[in-house]
Amino acid sequence: MRRTFRRALAVAAGTLSIGLAATACSPSNPDSQAGGGSGGSADRITIGTTADVLNYNPLVGNSRTDTWVTNLMYPRLMSMGMDGVRSPYLASKWEYLDGGRKAKVTLRDDFTWSDGEKVTADDVAFTIDAVAKEKIGVVAGLISSYQKSTVISPTEIEFQLSQVDGTFLENVGFWMPVVPEHVFSKVGSVQKFANDSDWVSAGPYKLTTVERGQRYVLERMENFPLVEGGPKTKEVVFRVFPDVNTEALALRNGDVDLIANALPPPLAKTLEGDSKLKLVKVPSLGWAHMQYNTARKPLDRLEVRQALAAAVDYEAIRRVALQGKAVSSNSSVLTPTLKQWQDPSAKEYAHDPAKAKSLLTGAGFSDGNGDGLFDGLSLRMIYDQADPNISKWAQLVRDSSKEAGIEIKLEGLERNTYVEKYTARDYDIYAGSWAIMENPPANLALAFKCKGFINYANACDPELDALIDQARTQLDQAAQKAPIQQAAKIITDKVYDNVLYVEEFTIAHSAEWSNFLVQPSELLSIVNPVSVAQATKG
């Protein structure tokens, strides 16, 4: 087994070296045209990304580049600290009223859209009504208790809820970008609005130039109130690169100032000694995991899921595939990042091939032909082949499962096909990761309640549902904690989710730049609005 791990690591390192050497011969340079966009200027920060913007509508877009770009234009009510706790952004105050059947938000009065219109409670009311009416994205699932809004004043809004929901304010506060009513109300269906030109921004920057496959240019909005004196840098340019190795070469050459996406652990190690660069550690608010499709035989049987969990070598995954840049979550969905929710009694599944075999034998499986594999236990695991971490550990899972007598056939897929497969629940095992799962009562409802919006494991457990519902009806975290910890224990015990690790992301930028604000998750990291707006060079 260990020889297999070392061989996988050697192959990964060799591929990385070849990639850097190859890109050194012919680096992409989309900024050779008029208008610039390369690193080097104190008036411009150039950020590398590996994907184009897929959707400019902040309520619909869900790729990383979509989020990084639209976050610079559309404010949210709340921001987030390193432990996932909400902090003010557009909202200055929030509270529950009427025993939790109403919620109230008070806004700052100094946010202005780039066309001169003030940002007001009418914008918030319009946005949430559009999300609820058109059932737009995950946000719609997070605000299922919402009934209607009442605008009290330009800076005050009340929300009527259908039931007590102690997750509502945090959900709407962090997850819902606020869009300008005077623009989006004219387009018919908000969900179908492309928003691909003539942008109106209330963030620190506004998108002005798009060259697909090349770059996205945003210009400074002088009146952004969350940074004293306004944004420090005149222009933000997102440059698109074919892969992270090319990004790293551009960063070393001074062609970009920052790489937005997290570095794969092997690449991060190669950059550690470069004095021209600074590496920033960013905790994840999500986790990497495998989910077993409980609607399919034999994965509907607890013994099979328990055997699969015992077949995984968790420490080897973190050591080899993640190069040590990850920590255990103790097989719990309450991760170490969210210390206020953690259950100290949680323990990681033990890697125990013998136990896996015993469980399967007890469940009636046998190896009739003596090939070392249980008959009728060949499972298909899908994953995004473009994800370097998962591509590595998927092989380790396959190999360790074989030692336990379980055949896992890997199916690395192109991103769009992969998304289609898991959203349709068309798989035996799904290997992936959650980017942000920062509010357990709300997140567990989405991911594990019967018919939850992102319940890809098809879990349906009345006891689990009841505990999640109990937590959601509490208005303070202290009252939510006990039922949520009980719910998390059920998820672990019944293997509705096999949490492998919580990653520590590495973000790289030029050492010439400073004053970034670090926030948790790859989606926020140092490419969040306040961070980019207050960053300075020199």
Side-chain angles (χ1 to χ4, degrees):
M1 176 95 71
R2 287 183 180 141
R3 285 196 299 273
T4 303
F5 291 153
R6 283 198 294 268
R7 185 162 59 250
L9 180 57
V11 169
T15 302
L16 175 65
S17 300
I18 292 169
L20 283 171
T23 55
C25 298
S26 54
S28 170
N29 184 17
D31 299 313
S32 60
Q33 319 168 32
S38 61
S41 171
D43 289 332
R44 176 189 306 120
I45 184 167
T46 303
I47 303 173
T49 181
T50 56
D52 277 295
V53 175
L54 301 178
N55 201 310
Y56 301 93
N57 184 332
L59 299 174
V60 177
N62 58 12
S63 79
R64 290 178 302 182
T65 308
D66 292 357
T67 301
W68 291 325
V69 170
T70 59
N71 270 357
L72 294 177
M73 296 194 287
Y74 302 97
R76 297 172 191 249
L77 294 172
M78 303 173 194
S79 187
M80 183 185 295
M82 290 294 279
D83 54 2
V85 175
R86 303 300 192 269
S87 57
Y89 193 86
L90 175 58
S92 60
K93 179 182 176 184
W94 50 90
E95 60 187 323
Y96 288 102
L97 305 172
D98 192 19
R101 296 298 296 267
K102 289 183 179 180
K104 181 181 178 181
V105 171
T106 302
L107 308 180
R108 296 175 62 116
D109 63 0
D110 52 0
F111 270 78
T112 304
W113 297 106
S114 55
D115 60 2
E117 295 279 346
K118 295 283 288 185
V119 179
T120 70
D122 288 320
D123 296 310
V124 178
F126 170 81
T127 303
I128 193 171
D129 282 341
V131 169
K133 179 181 178 181
E134 299 187 38
K135 300 187 184 307
I136 303 176
V138 175
V139 177
L142 288 168
I143 60 168
S144 58
S145 61
Y146 172 72
Q147 285 189 317
K148 66 177 183 178
S149 297
T150 301
V151 174
I152 301 171
S153 74
T155 60
E156 295 175 295
I157 183 171
E158 280 188 2
F159 306 102
Q160 180 70 49
L161 307 181
S162 61
Q163 59 188 25
V164 177
D165 182 357
T167 69
F168 174 81
L169 278 171
E170 289 197 359
N171 285 336
V172 74
F174 176 74
W175 285 101
M176 189 185 78
V178 176
V179 299
E181 178 189 23
H182 63 284
V183 175
F184 279 62
S185 63
K186 299 175 181 178
V187 302
S189 169
V190 170
Q191 186 164 208
K192 295 178 181 179
F193 180 40
N195 191 39
D196 54 2
S197 63
D198 300 321
W199 294 278
V200 175
S201 169
Y205 294 90
K206 182 177 77 170
L207 188 59
T208 57
T209 303
V210 170
E211 298 170 8
R212 287 193 62 78
Q214 302 292 315
R215 63 179 190 156
Y216 298 80
V217 181
L218 297 98
E219 294 184 357
R220 175 171 58 199
M221 296 292 101
E222 303 286 352
N223 59 351
F224 183 65
L226 298 184
V227 174
E228 186 176 356
K232 307 306 180 187
T233 303
K234 180 180 178 181
E235 195 172 76
V236 175
V237 178
F238 284 87
R239 275 186 55 181
V240 183
F241 291 87
D243 54 62
V244 69
N245 290 331
T246 317
E247 283 182 307
L249 181 66
L251 181 63
R252 281 176 152 168
N253 289 343
D255 294 327
V256 299
D257 303 301
L258 185 160
I259 296 176
N261 42 287
L263 302 177
L267 179 55
K269 281 192 174 294
T270 69
L271 301 180
E272 284 177 352
D274 193 328
S275 62
K276 295 181 180 179
L277 307 180
K278 184 172 181 180
L279 304 186
V280 179
K281 306 301 181 186
V282 177
S284 173
L285 279 171
W287 61 80
H289 61 156
M290 290 186 294
Q291 289 195 303
Y292 310 115
N293 191 342
T294 63
R296 287 190 177 181
K297 296 182 180 299
L299 295 163
D300 59 336
R301 301 180 64 180
L302 176 58
E303 304 95 326
V304 174
R305 300 196 301 274
Q306 290 174 329
L308 284 162
V312 177
D313 191 336
Y314 303 93
E315 180 56 34
I317 286 174
R318 293 189 291 268
R319 185 181 71 251
V320 177
L322 277 295
Q323 301 281 285
K325 295 187 181 298
V327 297
S328 172
S329 183
N330 295 316
S331 297
S332 173
V333 294
L334 302 178
T335 71
T337 306
L338 303 177
K339 293 181 174 58
Q340 64 273 30
W341 292 100
Q342 269 193 294
D343 181 353
S345 69
K347 301 294 181 185
E348 184 169 78
Y349 299 128
H351 173 223
D352 191 342
K355 178 182 177 181
K357 289 181 177 180
S358 176
L359 284 164
L360 292 171
T361 300
F365 290 90
S366 63
D367 177 12
N369 59 12
D371 65 352
L373 298 173
F374 286 99
D375 301 334
L377 197 58
S378 178
L379 303 169
R380 179 172 59 100
M381 183 163 81
I382 66 169
Y383 64 95
D384 179 1
Q385 63 187 8
D387 188 308
N389 292 340
I390 296 177
S391 295
K392 292 183 183 71
W393 63 249
Q395 298 175 51
L396 305 184
V397 169
R398 177 196 61 197
D399 294 345
S400 62
S401 297
K402 187 175 182 180
E403 287 194 358
I406 304 168
E407 181 180 46
I408 292 181
K409 295 180 178 179
L410 301 183
E411 192 170 338
L413 303 171
E414 179 272 330
R415 174 71 183 175
N416 290 337
T417 304
Y418 167 70
V419 172
E420 289 173 5
K421 289 279 189 183
Y422 74 64
T423 53
R425 282 66 166 173
D426 182 13
Y427 64 86
D428 297 321
I429 305 173
Y430 150 80
S433 61
W434 296 124
I436 300 180
M437 298 290 266
E438 84 309 338
N439 185 342
N443 302 145
L444 299 193
L446 285 174
F448 299 104
K449 281 194 66 175
C450 299
K451 298 184 179 179
F453 187 78
I454 52 175
N455 182 354
Y456 300 132
N458 286 308
C460 193
D461 187 321
E463 182 184 6
L464 179 59
D465 281 13
L467 287 165
I468 294 171
D469 288 341
Q470 179 185 343
R472 294 189 69 186
T473 59
Q474 305 302 315
L475 300 181
D476 64 273
Q477 183 187 303
Q480 294 172 340
K481 187 172 182 177
I484 281 299
Q485 287 184 341
Q486 293 177 56
K489 188 175 188 306
I490 290 174
I491 293 167
T492 299
D493 290 347
K494 296 191 177 181
V495 201
Y496 292 137
D497 200 353
N498 188 352
V499 182
L500 303 177
Y501 58 83
V502 176
E503 188 171 357
E504 180 187 62
F505 297 118
T506 301
I507 305 295
H509 67 83
S510 165
E512 295 182 334
W513 286 83
S514 59
N515 296 325
F516 291 108
L517 172 67
V518 182
Q519 292 184 324
S521 84
E522 188 181 11
L523 290 178
L524 297 174
S525 65
I526 60 172
V527 193
N528 59 77
V530 173
S531 178
V532 174
Q534 71 182 26
T536 54
K537 184 176 182 180

